[in-house]
Amino acid sequence: MKIVLAGDFDDAEEHQRWHEALAQALPEAHWLGADAAAAYADEVSVAVVANPPPGSLAPFRHLRLIQSLWAGVDRLLADASLPAGVPIARMVDPAMSAAMAETALWATLALHRGFFTYQRQQRDGVWRALAQRRADEAPVLVLGRGEMGRAVAARLRAQGYPVTAWGRDGAPLAPLLAAHEIVINLLPLTAATRGLLDRRFFAAMREGAALVNLGRGAHVVDDDLLAALDAGHLSHAVLDVFHAEPLPTSHRYWTHARVTMLPHAAAATDERSAAAVVAANLRALEHGRPLAHLVDRGRGY
Ligand code: GLV
């Protein structure tokens, strides 16, 4: 089996690490970088990809599977030259879900216990203890009931938080937004969820509530979020994802006192566990067994 490994890797070293992890997990396959694969374009049957530049899969006309190393496939699906009819699998990596649950727990603890407020107070030389509330007094709404949403909800419940998990097929959102003080976004980015977190969404949130965006930057209308923060309607936003990454340093989020930023680092795919996930799916393909984590192109995830 000839496999092309293509992606928007940070650098050659990251590409090399993936190559080694994947080749170790599936040594019987012939792993090729994008340039080397071009010489065998008609023989390459699988593409393992991490947000490859648009058009990069077009030369491979006999693909039987496109396996993403990213959980979110929004950028991949936006490539108009993606070969039609080829199954796409997204990454479901247990180590990544665990990391996401850790980040969500950190943000939830910091918001509920006022640790971001203490950070601001220290900067301002203010010594003032806030009222201490129990976890069961801080209801959390998790948007998204996929792998990540479920892992996050389970971790927060284990920590004592009352958690409601919402999916787009579920109950109307506005009453839920009004009933929770922390909202964590883990929705997939699709035509239906782009810009969902807008002025109306924030207005429906409870006074003083906080947003944690661990999904995609394009879920949020930035000006609307900034307006809600500036007006004091929302108390804080923890943001891991942005419209542009890296976020230009001129953007207001960088310096906003009520925004905590992460550089899209809430949960990276773990090469070691993800390589095993890829190998299992490629072996299933070889042996005609059902493929795992297939994307519904129409639905967008
Ligand atoms: C990260 O954002 C991913 O989709 O894997």
Side-chain angles (χ1 to χ4, degrees):
M1 179 189 281
K2 285 196 175 53
I3 305 174
V4 58
L5 172 60
D8 177 13
F9 296 103
D10 282 346
D11 48 33
E13 195 191 317
E14 194 197 5
H15 184 272
Q16 187 57 27
R17 277 205 315 273
W18 274 112
H19 195 132
E20 277 165 20
L22 290 163
Q24 199 173 6
L26 199 72
E28 64 270 32
H30 188 174
W31 293 89
L32 297 155
D35 292 340
Y40 304 95
D42 285 343
E43 294 165 52
V44 170
S45 58
V46 174
V48 173
V49 299
N51 287 330
S56 48
L57 297 187
F60 306 106
R61 289 186 303 269
H62 301 292
L63 290 180
R64 294 168 59 210
L65 174 65
I66 300 169
Q67 168 72 55
S68 175
L69 297 175
W70 278 52
V73 288
D74 44 292
R75 257 169 78 186
L76 183 63
L77 294 181
D79 179 355
S81 69
L82 208 62
V86 179
I88 300 172
R90 71 206 162 77
M91 177 50 59
V92 174
D93 166 15
M96 186 187 197
S97 306
M100 191 61 96
E102 288 167 358
T103 302
L105 178 58
W106 156 77
T108 301
L109 282 168
L111 291 164
H112 143 237
R113 292 293 312 281
F115 297 140
F116 295 127
T117 305
Y118 291 137
Q119 218 164 31
R120 274 198 306 276
Q121 289 188 179
Q122 178 180 348
R123 195 198 52 202
D124 299 340
V126 174
W127 179 282
R128 183 168 59 223
L130 303 169
Q132 181 179 298
R133 292 179 314 132
R134 301 189 311 255
D136 63 71
E137 296 171 307
V140 181
L141 177 63
V142 176
L143 306 181
R145 287 192 303 222
E147 302 289 335
M148 303 285 174
R150 287 204 303 272
V152 164
R155 177 63 74 90
L156 295 179
R157 282 193 188 111
Q159 201 66 35
Y161 291 101
V163 178
T164 306
W166 180 84
R168 278 196 66 267
D169 53 351
L173 190 50
L176 290 176
L177 290 172
H180 293 80
E181 78 172 46
I182 298 171
V183 177
I184 304 180
N185 177 40
L186 281 158
L187 289 166
L189 180 65
T190 67
T193 64
R194 183 177 295 274
L196 179 74
L197 281 62
D198 64 358
R199 194 170 44 84
R200 277 179 41 213
F201 180 102
F202 299 129
M205 281 173 73
R206 198 190 259 198
E207 184 79 28
L211 172 71
V212 181
N213 188 16
L214 306 176
R216 286 287 185 260
H219 283 127
V220 173
V221 178
D222 290 334
D223 286 344
D224 293 355
L225 175 57
L226 285 164
L229 290 165
D230 290 342
H233 180 62
L234 295 192
S235 59
H236 205 89
V238 177
L239 306 176
D240 181 53
V241 285
F242 304 90
H243 273 94
E245 298 180 6
L247 186 69
T249 50
S250 58
H251 198 282
R252 281 192 63 210
Y253 285 150
W254 279 101
T255 51
H256 201 291
R258 295 186 177 276
V259 172
T260 299
M261 286 175 58
L262 300 176
H264 201 140
T269 311
D270 182 288
E271 282 132 33
R272 295 151 299 177
S273 56
V277 171
V278 172
N281 229 11
L282 299 195
R283 290 204 174 102
L285 180 73
E286 276 283 71
H287 296 107
R289 294 194 303 262
L291 299 172
H293 317 307
L294 287 179
V295 169
D296 177 335
R297 289 196 196 206
R299 204 174 54 167
Y301 65 96

